[in-house]
Amino acid sequence: MGLGSWWRGGSAADRRQQRNDGAPLSEQAVLAIVAQQLTELGGERWTVEGALAKGPGSAAVALAAPHGDGPAHLDLSFLLEAGRPEETAVTDCVAGFGADSEAAVRRAVEIWASTTGVTMLELLAHNGRFAGHIHPADADALPGWHAIHGGIVAWGAGDRHNAVQDWTVAHPLLPQLAPAFADGFGRDALIGVKVFLGGRVGEETAEVRVDGVVHERASKLLLGLDWPRVTEGTAYARTFVLLVHPER
């Protein structure tokens, strides 16, 4: 399965504003940005209704309790069925950067939509329009699982800001992380796996979150992989995989 570049960029000034100190946006304002992004991405109208951004059928997005600092650090839960949040929620966190709080939130939602949101839209559409399907027998699969792989986004500074993204495209992460997931997951379907890695020599970041919670074993394994450590500037990559269900 080929995975291309969904989004790249971010000036040095943008990156310095990642932990933006401006006033946070209201819940309604954030949800409106989510609804707008998903409408533009999917072509079907999303609207804000109370504490939800609601889309086609029973799909919705809610703001989860934040675990990070800053007005542009968002925890978003995509609800496949709004009436069954416990069984169908896929939660992920994302941070944005920009000149002010609104710009930073918009960037965060854009990153989330192009990595995490597209996997959920593809789960609804199931036609390959939004993201790629990985079958259990594929070389880049997590053994035993059908998965939907979102985009791989990159940002950083310098001529090699896309180095980690390029490596991630060429070296599928699921089989490399498989040993860390040998003990299974907390439920048997709709497992969200976020991967974030990069930085520069001596300032590396490697984080794997499963259903919004840091997976220590997978994060440690990720840190030990041979992805590029740039010596000038920075290079980061982020992606998201939805493990749909096991096939044995």
Side-chain angles (χ1 to χ4, degrees):
M1 180 191 67
L3 293 171
S5 169
W6 285 70
W7 178 82
R8 293 181 171 168
S11 67
D14 279 343
R15 287 184 294 277
R16 286 194 295 269
Q17 290 292 329
Q18 186 161 356
R19 291 176 64 86
N20 190 282
D21 294 327
L25 271 64
S26 68
E27 179 182 62
Q28 293 288 298
V30 174
L31 290 173
I33 292 171
V34 171
Q36 179 185 15
Q37 183 68 34
L38 291 176
T39 297
E40 294 175 357
L41 186 63
E44 295 188 79
R45 188 166 180 250
W46 286 69
T47 59
V48 177
E49 299 181 22
L52 297 174
K54 299 195 71 175
S58 58
V61 175
L63 285 176
H67 73 272
D69 297 328
H73 189 117
L74 307 176
D75 287 73
L76 297 170
S77 287
F78 195 115
L79 312 176
L80 190 62
E81 296 184 27
R84 298 172 56 218
E86 292 296 325
E87 298 92 341
T88 69
V90 176
T91 300
D92 186 24
C93 65
V94 65
F97 43 84
D100 54 37
S101 294
E102 181 176 353
V105 167
R106 287 189 179 278
R107 184 60 59 84
V109 172
E110 179 187 15
I111 295 171
W112 172 85
S114 63
T115 54
T116 308
V118 291
T119 68
M120 301 304 296
L121 293 180
E122 178 58 29
L123 182 63
L124 295 172
H126 207 76
N127 58 12
R129 175 186 171 194
F130 299 102
H133 290 259
I134 307 176
H135 299 279
D138 292 346
D140 49 356
L142 181 67
W145 284 85
H146 180 98
I148 299 175
H149 203 310
I152 301 172
V153 301
W155 64 95
D159 293 340
R160 298 193 65 210
H161 74 273
N162 60 336
V164 177
Q165 180 199 47
D166 291 344
W167 181 91
T168 304
V169 172
H171 299 80
L173 288 171
L174 285 179
Q176 298 185 83
L177 296 177
F181 300 141
D183 293 336
F185 304 100
R187 60 186 187 187
D188 59 5
L190 299 182
I191 311 298
V193 180
K194 183 192 85 170
V195 180
F196 174 72
L197 66 160
R200 59 182 298 165
V201 171
E203 299 177 6
E204 298 96 340
T205 294
E207 181 182 87
V208 178
R209 286 183 177 266
V210 175
D211 293 333
V213 178
V214 172
H215 194 290
E216 298 290 351
R217 289 180 60 192
S219 298
K220 183 178 180 179
L221 197 162
L222 179 65
L223 182 62
L225 299 181
D226 62 349
W227 42 271
R229 274 67 166 176
V230 300
T231 57
E232 295 183 5
T234 55
Y236 295 93
R238 170 195 158 105
T239 191
F240 187 88
V241 180
L242 180 67
L243 303 177
V244 182
H245 54 73
E247 294 181 0
R248 306 192 189 281

